[in-house]
Each structure stands twice: as structure tokens, then as C-alpha cells.
């Protein structure tokens, strides 16, 4: 069974670090939802998980969310024990919004807290305050949502290790079921990239400090009982993200909406990243996407980049003899250096290897 991802690109305002496709043209929400529902009808499948991501899905109205979910169930065979996640901005979680989610069948909420420092939230152009994160969690609990995830971010300009420890401790006090933490990426084309380039032509990332922050994160969360099941993700027992875990396990997924990606092991496809082009095409009964066929080497490389992110690592028995021999040879020096280990026929990053995972994965790939 596949995972279903719905991209909701609407944002009330844009964060300066975000490189995902989004728009502030909220007046198109209903037309867009109608188009998404039409694409859903064109692409019915058997699905195990549903994920409403963005953008800011919580910028949709409750009737619009109801329309989406009813359409999904009408045209797809949805597993009974499903996981339905919605991404929310904390300041969107009113008592009315929170209480509506379980009635819609939504049983998991992912919120972008990012930091509990209000000055850094302003720097990121986030709409919410640190206090609103706590309030949102309280409202969701009261409404009966018992699977909450929050995102944290570290590596801000001028952030200290003590600043980061404060954020991690604040997150732990919320006692949520799932935590994700990402280093702030300064991606070309974002307002943050332009801002830092103008302010300081010599802005440099302190890689050693980022390593210390990541180590502090692992130590704090594992000591608090969270399972470190993927490079950037931590969960209480039984609360791994099923939807994202499907990505890492090479399970097909369907992406609906502007800029959404789909994958079926043989082919990758992605919809046009423009709501106007997207809506106009769907209204003509066309799906505006591009496709890429995946050859064996590309599929192998994809497996490396997702499976090695996980606690279980890459199942060597799932590879053909050719790729198993290749990766075993490539991995040998990293096993000697204690960056990789083999356990029960799985190739796994060690704790030490987590800190250089990009380099290790790159060297395990097939190259032309």
C-alpha cells in the first residue's frame, strides 16, 4: 500500500529559510482544493497513510479540509488502521480548529515550533510565538489528539550551545510523542540566503558547534526515552512517523497537488510548481507532471540515501549480488574506521558515522 501526500502550498506569510514551493495567494484556496480533489479522483489507489503537508495546511478552512478527506476516502481504498497527519502552524490551532481534527479522522499533528526564542522566531519570519506552541499542544490534547510531533531547528547565526539546550529542554517539557530536528540550511534563492550574503560576505557555518548541538540533541532525547530511529527523527515507543518511514523503506508514494512528487520504484514524477498552471491543467482533466524513469543504478543510489538514514540501515539481502558486492567493498574502510557496521545482514551507520553521513553515503553510491 502506498502513502498519499497532499501538498497545500498556502502560507499567510513566508519564512525566510523555506525553499519549498508555497504561495501567499490565499484567495485561490477553494479553487485549488477543487483541483486537488479532481486529481485525487483521477489517481485512486490503495493507501496506508495520508499526509497533508505544505506550505501551511492549517491555512485551509475546516470545510475545505473535510472536502479533501472525504474525497480521499471516496476514491481510494484507505487502510482501516491508517495514519492521517496534518502540518500546522501553532498560531492556527484555535480550540475550534483542534476540536475539528479528530472529527475529520486526523490522528496526528506535526507542528513547526523551530525554536522557543521569540527573537529567533522573528528572525525566521515565523508567525507564532514560543508561548503559542505550548498553547497549541494543550488544545490538541484537550481535543483528543495523542500523536503530536514538533520540529526544531538549530544552527542559527550566533546561536550558542546553551541557547540550543534551552530549546531542547523546552520541547521535552511538552512531552510530545515525536520530535524532528534539523540544522538551519541556507539554501540559494531563499530570502535568508540573500540576507546573509548582503550582511556578511564571509558568513561561515561553525561545523564543530553544529556537531556539538547534534550530539546534545541525541543525548538529551535518548535519555528522555525517545528512540533515535532516523538521522533527524526521534519518537516514543510506537510513535514513529509511519508516512515518512515508508519513504525510507522504499515504499511507493503518491503526491497530489502543485509541486508534489510521486514514486513507484520504476518512475519518479513531479507536478508543476505553479498553482495557476496546476489548476488550469487539472481543470482540463490533465495532470501537469514530468516523469523520470529510474534505472537500476539510480534505484540503488536512492536506496543508499534513504535506508542508511534509519536505525535499521540497509538490508544487504535486498540487493542483487552485483550491488551487494559493490557496497561491501566500498564500505570496508568505513567499517574499519567505525563509521559503519554490519549487523544481521544490515549495513548501519554507527553513532560516529551519523556525523559524517553525507560523505559516507556519497562514497557508497554507484558513479558513472
Amino acid at each position: 500500500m502506498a502513502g498519499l501526500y497532499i501538498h497545500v502550498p498556502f502560507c499567510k506569510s513566508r519564512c525566510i529559510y523555506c525553499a519549498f514551493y508555497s504561495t501567499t495567494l490565499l484567495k485561490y484556496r477553494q479553487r485549488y482544493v477543487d483541483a486537488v480533489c479532481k486529481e485525487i479522483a483521477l489517481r485512486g489507489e490503495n493507501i496506508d497513510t495520508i499526509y497533508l503537508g505544505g506550505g501551511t495546511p492549517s491555512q485551509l478552512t475546516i470545510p475545505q479540509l473535510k472536502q479533501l478527506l472525504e474525497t480521499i476516502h471516496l476514491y481510494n481504498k484507505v487502510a482501516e488502521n491508517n495514519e492521517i497527519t496534518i502540518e500546522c502552524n501553532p498560531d492556527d490551532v484555535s480550540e475550534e480548529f483542534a476540536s475539528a481534527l479528530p472529527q475529520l479522522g486526523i490522528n496526528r499533528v506535526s507542528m513547526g515550533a523551530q525554536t522557543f526564542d521569540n527573537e529567533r522566531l522573528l528572525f525566521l519570519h515565523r508567525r507564532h510565538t514560543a508561548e503559542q506552541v505550548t498553547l497549541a499542544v494543550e488544545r490538541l490534547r484537550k481535543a483528543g489528539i495523542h500523536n503530536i510531533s514538533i520540529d526544531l531547528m538549530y544552527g542559527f547565526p550566533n546561536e550558542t550551545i546553551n541557547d540550543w539546550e534551552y530549546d531542547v529542554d523546552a520541547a521535552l517539557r511538552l512531552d510530545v510523542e515525536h520530535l524532528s530536528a534539523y540544522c538551519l540550511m541556507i539554501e540559494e534563492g531563499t530570502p535568508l540566503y540573500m540576507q546573509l550574503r548582503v550582511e556578511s560576505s564571509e558568513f561561515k557555518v561553525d561545523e564543530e558547534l553544529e556537531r556539538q548541538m547534534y550530539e546534545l540533541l541525541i543525548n538529551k532525547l535518548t535519555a528522555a526515552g525517545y528512540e533515535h530511529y532516523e538521522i533527524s527523527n526521534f519518537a516514543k515507543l510506537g510513535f514513529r512517523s509511519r508516512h515518512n518511514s515508508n519513504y525510507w523503506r522504499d515504499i511507493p508514494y503518491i503526491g497530489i497537488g502543485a509541486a508534489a512528487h510521486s514514486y513507484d520504484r520504476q518512475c519518479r514524477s513531479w507536478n508543476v510548481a505553479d498553482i495557476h498552471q496546476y489548476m488550469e491543467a487539472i481543470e482540463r482533466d490533465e495532470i501537469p507532471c514530468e516523469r523520470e524513469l529510474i534505472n537500476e543504478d539510480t534505484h540503488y543510489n536512492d536506496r543508499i540515501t534513504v535506508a542508511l538514514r534509519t536505525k535499521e540501515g540497509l538490508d544487504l539481502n535486498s540487493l542483487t549480488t552485483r550491488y551487494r558486492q559493490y557496497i561491501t567493498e566500498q564500505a570496508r574502510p568505513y567499517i574499519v574506521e567505525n563509521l559503519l557496521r554490519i549487523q544481521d545482514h544490515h549495513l548501519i551507520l554507527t553513532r560516529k558515522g551519523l556525523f559524517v553521513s553525507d560523505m559516507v553515503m556519497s562514497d557508497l553510491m554507484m558513479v558513472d
Side-chain angles (χ1 to χ4, degrees), residues 253-289:
Y253 52 86
I254 303 160
I256 303 284
H261 288 235
S262 300
Y263 167 74
D264 65 4
R265 294 196 185 101
Q266 283 80 45
C267 175
R268 269 194 292 261
S269 64
W270 53 95
N271 288 351
V272 63
D274 181 290
I275 62 165
H276 299 290
Q277 293 180 41
Y278 171 77
M279 294 186 298
E280 290 165 4
I282 293 293
E283 288 162 358
R284 296 192 304 267
D285 293 327
E286 300 172 5
I287 297 178
C289 69

Side-chain angles (χ1 to χ4, degrees), residues 176-219:
V176 294
E177 287 71 29
H178 190 280
L179 283 156
S180 301
Y182 305 95
C183 188
L184 176 63
M185 300 296 292
I186 303 168
E187 300 195 46
E188 191 169 350
T190 62
L192 177 60
Y193 175 85
M194 298 302 295
Q195 177 180 323
L196 291 176
R197 191 174 70 170
V198 169
E199 290 180 357
S200 173
S201 60
E202 301 200 3
F203 174 77
K204 293 182 180 179
V205 175
D206 188 334
E207 293 183 358
E208 174 57 23
L209 179 58
E210 287 183 356
R211 189 197 65 78
Q212 292 174 15
M213 289 178 170
Y214 183 50
E215 188 145 24
L216 182 146
L217 172 77
I218 296 172
N219 291 339

